Amino acid sequence: MFRHVVCSCLLMLALIPTPAGAAEVTATLDRDHVQLGETVTLNVRVQGDTGGIAAPDLRALSQDFQLLGTSQNNSLSVINGQASSELTFGVALRPRHVGVLQIPALSVAGQRTAPLQLTVTAPDPAAAAATQRDVFMESQVEPAHGYVGQQLTYVVRLYYANRIGGDAPQPPQADGVEISALGKGLNYDAERGGRTYHVLEQRYALIPQHAGQVEIPPVDFQGEAADPRDPNSFFGATVPVSASAPAQTITVKPAPADWGGSAWLPARQLSLSLDGWPTAQDAPPRVGQPLNLTMNLQASGLSYEALPALSLPPLDGATVYPDKPVTGNRQDGEWIIGRRQQSFAIVPERAGTLTVPATTLKWWNVLTDKMEVAQIAAHSVTVLPAIGAAAAPPPAPAAAVDSGAAGNTVPATTTPTPWRWIALASLALWLLSALAWWLWQRRRRASSVTPPAAVRTSVRSGQLAFLAAARGSDPAAQVRTLLAWARAERPAIQHLGELAAALDDAAQRAAIAALQQRHYAAAPSHDAGTNLAEAFKRGFAWRAAEATDESSGLPPLYPFKLH
């Protein structure tokens, strides 16, 4: 019993994904411009191995900031079997004075963060006048201009001095702009005009759909607030309150005129990769064995719907089977990060060098306002023959006359053969070839009329084994038994591509293509087994040329054909 419990615990521990790689530390501010009296949040994120990490030492911040509070959040995510752990330390700061304040480098997990800057301005007189009200709103677009298709951030803030009730402000509505919320909103305190307010802040992603001037209309709030003049307001006495965030105008530029016909991708960052190539420690691929590759495309500031579909070009000497794509979006608090992933099964059809050409994707960097190109370099692998396939015959040795021409061993005094002996030798060779061809044809016809019993038994058993597997749901077993049956009739066939090329029936070729999709690309198919068995229940429909040359299953006597 004790041994069973120990084994179970070890199995559970083995199944827990382990974060890979050393810790990576970054520090960010939720904004880089604030007014004196407002609160700013410093986030220190640790990605990778987050076990046993202590909070950073914040004493260096006390000269320029008031530390209002700290928080800690730990998250774990698993993508494609790789675990990623993230630990975030949040620090609420209130600047002590106006100016460009420095957030110094902080030491966390044995690493130091990059220093940051925060610009603190004096309170706006207009805003100071507005703070005489118990409730007011602000709005802001970051940046104030951009390109069509580029994500912008719209921020709306609701300030309230006393307890209020009512629904949160609704998202803005604007024609020609896609708007979606970024996160669940922030709650913090800020000081305006010498008065402390509670602030409800919500950020939205704005994606303009056309160029020109786009106006974001005002966002309104209506609710009820406790009446400070009523001493019994705690028990329910309220007064109606309302506020409105001002409208915002955005200047949207079109894509550059010389961009061309490729997809317009305005992003903050973009990456493109192709993974899964065999390493030096892996065995080289063989003919008929799938090579599984995965292409990843990720962009910051773009939704996955804006990213192009991923594909590979037709390959010389191989067939490409794409799997079902994986797509999705995530957020980092300010920006949408879109992702596309596409897996491919590449099945080599002949031995030699297989090359996947380079893949390029141009995009527009909105931070530098320049075009950039993401590229996957060309890659080549050596494909070995299928297991059991005959090796290529070695090249014929050079004739003696060639050696003589190179000046090696033939003496200069050698007497050339008289022409009549050459003619007689050629005639004798032709007669021997004709006799050999006649004997081979006679043997072939005899073999085709009465095939050996052992061959008939092997073909029949192979057919029955395949039909049994075809009615099941295991594509690997169906491929294995179909090739075994085919090789019983055509020993030279090595993989499904050669089998399909040797068949004359379109339904059988289509059934093989569907089987390859299920086997190599895991493509679902309804009634796949029934269709496969139906296509081959009467045997193989070989092409006429194939039947003429190989119907006996015996190799020709000479490596050439006589006409």
Side-chain angles (χ1 to χ4, degrees):
M1 179 64 181
F2 176 75
R3 180 181 301 175
H4 176 71
V5 172
V6 170
C7 292
S8 299
C9 293
L10 292 176
L11 179 59
M12 293 177 64
L13 290 174
L15 293 176
I16 296 176
T18 302
E24 180 182 349
V25 179
T26 57
T28 59
L29 292 169
D30 64 342
R31 70 197 77 185
D32 55 9
H33 288 76
V34 296
Q35 293 185 4
L36 187 63
E38 292 183 338
T39 302
V40 65
T41 301
L42 170 66
N43 292 306
V44 180
R45 294 183 175 88
V46 182
Q47 292 180 315
D49 186 5
T50 60
I53 295 179
D57 186 357
L58 303 175
R59 288 177 294 180
L61 302 175
S62 59
Q63 180 177 353
D64 295 324
F65 299 93
Q66 252 183 302
L67 274 65
L68 303 181
T70 61
S71 63
Q72 183 173 323
N73 180 49
N74 203 339
S75 63
L76 178 68
S77 61
V78 179
I79 300 177
N80 293 334
Q82 293 291 329
S84 175
S85 179
E86 182 177 288
L87 175 63
T88 302
F89 298 100
V91 185
L93 302 174
R94 178 177 291 165
R96 294 183 182 272
H97 54 84
V98 173
V100 179
L101 308 186
Q102 301 293 325
I103 306 291
L106 302 176
S107 179
V108 183
Q111 301 186 37
R112 295 183 66 80
T113 64
L116 304 172
Q117 284 187 345
L118 176 68
T119 302
V120 182
T121 59
D124 186 0
T131 56
Q132 301 305 313
R133 300 182 57 185
D134 291 338
V135 180
F136 67 95
M137 297 181 70
E138 291 180 346
S139 61
Q140 181 182 1
V141 176
E142 303 172 346
H145 55 82
Y147 288 93
V148 59
Q150 174 186 347
Q151 183 209 326
L152 310 175
T153 301
Y154 175 80
V155 187
V156 60
R157 302 183 184 95
L158 172 64
Y159 294 77
Y160 55 99
N162 303 311
R163 291 186 298 110
I164 61 173
D167 297 331
Q170 294 298 308
Q173 302 293 327
D175 295 334
V177 181
E178 290 186 2
I179 301 175
S180 59
L182 293 171
K184 297 182 179 180
L186 300 174
N187 289 277
Y188 55 90
D189 291 342
E191 185 176 326
R192 290 296 178 87
R195 190 176 184 184
T196 300
Y197 287 85
H198 306 295
V199 183
L200 173 62
E201 177 181 295
Q202 179 64 60
R203 291 174 176 262
Y204 298 92
L206 304 185
I207 303 179
Q209 302 300 299
H210 57 75
Q213 297 291 326
V214 177
E215 182 173 335
I216 307 299
V219 175
D220 299 326
F221 168 78
Q222 292 184 344
E224 295 179 338
D227 188 354
R229 297 168 297 179
D230 186 348
N232 297 320
S233 60
F234 182 81
F235 298 97
T238 60
V239 294
V241 293
S242 63
S244 180
Q248 297 288 338
T249 301
I250 308 170
T251 301
V252 181
K253 295 182 291 185
D258 58 350
W259 182 257
S262 59
W264 168 242
L265 303 174
R268 300 173 62 85
Q269 188 177 7
L270 186 142
S271 63
L272 180 65
S273 64
L274 184 61
D275 306 317
W277 291 107
T279 63
Q281 292 74 27
D282 297 330
R286 292 183 177 273
V287 173
Q289 295 179 349
L291 182 64
N292 298 309
L293 303 180
T294 302
M295 186 179 293
N296 290 284
L297 173 60
Q298 180 171 290
S300 175
L302 279 179
S303 173
Y304 80 88
E305 291 92 347
L307 301 177
L310 304 179
S311 63
L312 288 177
L315 303 182
D316 183 21
T319 302
V320 178
Y321 298 96
D323 202 350
K324 183 178 180 180
V326 177
T327 59
N329 292 327
R330 64 181 179 88
Q331 301 173 2
D332 64 359
E334 295 186 69
W335 308 103
I336 295 174
I337 301 177
R339 169 176 167 267
R340 281 188 179 272
Q341 183 182 84
Q342 179 68 65
S343 297
F344 304 93
I346 300 178
V347 183
E349 297 177 346
R350 65 169 180 261
T353 300
L354 173 62
T355 299
V356 176
T359 300
T360 59
L361 180 65
K362 68 176 183 177
W363 62 287
W364 191 265
N365 190 327
V366 298
L367 300 180
T368 61
D369 207 28
K370 294 181 180 179
M371 185 196 76
E372 295 191 15
V373 177
Q375 178 172 344
I376 300 173
H379 197 100
S380 297
V381 294
T382 300
V383 179
L384 301 181
I387 297 177
V401 65
D402 293 335
S403 298
N408 289 335
T409 59
V410 179
T413 59
T414 301
T415 303
T417 304
W419 65 267
R420 59 179 175 273
W421 295 110
I422 297 176
L424 290 173
S426 300
L427 178 61
L429 180 61
W430 181 84
L431 291 174
L432 288 174
S433 300
L435 178 61
W437 175 80
W438 178 79
L439 291 174
W440 173 69
Q441 288 285 357
R442 182 178 179 182
R443 182 179 179 183
R444 182 185 63 80
R445 285 194 296 270
S447 176
S448 62
V449 172
T450 309
V455 174
R456 292 199 304 271
T457 303
S458 176
V459 171
R460 183 57 179 167
S461 61
Q463 182 181 19
L464 294 177
F466 165 71
L467 293 177
R471 296 183 177 91
S473 59
D474 185 356
Q478 294 168 354
V479 171
R480 184 176 62 255
T481 55
L482 180 60
L483 286 176
W485 176 24
R487 288 165 184 160
E489 298 189 27
R490 299 288 185 270
I493 290 177
Q494 296 297 326
H495 52 82
L496 292 179
E498 289 185 356
L499 175 58
L503 295 175
D504 194 40
D505 185 68
Q508 291 186 349
R509 294 196 298 270
I512 290 176
L515 176 57
Q516 288 177 308
Q517 288 281 353
R518 295 196 305 277
H519 180 47
Y520 297 121
S525 177
H526 299 291
D527 300 327
T530 303
N531 296 337
L532 188 62
E534 181 67 22
F536 290 95
K537 68 179 182 180
R538 295 181 179 84
F540 293 108
W542 301 109
R543 291 185 182 274
E546 298 282 342
T548 301
D549 293 335
E550 300 181 320
S551 60
S552 68
L554 298 174
L557 296 179
Y558 298 98
F560 52 83
K561 297 180 181 180
L562 300 174
H563 299 281

